[in-house]
Amino acid sequence: METHYIIAIIAIIIAIVLIKRLVGCMMRTVVTIVLLAILAYLYYFHLT
């Protein structure tokens, strides 16, 4: 169960680094959607 939290933390860190480096608003939107999809997957399949 702890590995899922580690995966979520890594996904958040990667998203923060990408958002800081990317300039375009569309890229920020794509990164945010991917991050939310990963977190929703973890919540739906592993916490319920």
Side-chain angles (χ1 to χ4, degrees):
M1 201 61 178
E2 292 178 10
T3 59
H4 305 300
Y5 293 114
I6 293 171
I7 292 171
I9 290 170
I10 290 172
I12 291 170
I13 291 171
I14 291 172
I16 290 171
V17 169
L18 287 176
I19 288 172
K20 285 185 177 182
R21 292 189 178 191
L22 296 175
V23 182
C25 186
M26 284 299 291
M27 293 305 291
R28 290 182 186 174
T29 304
V30 169
V31 170
T32 304
I33 290 171
V34 168
L35 176 64
L36 289 176
I38 291 170
L39 293 176
Y41 169 81
L42 290 175
Y43 176 76
Y44 183 75
F45 287 107
H46 298 291
L47 298 179
T48 57

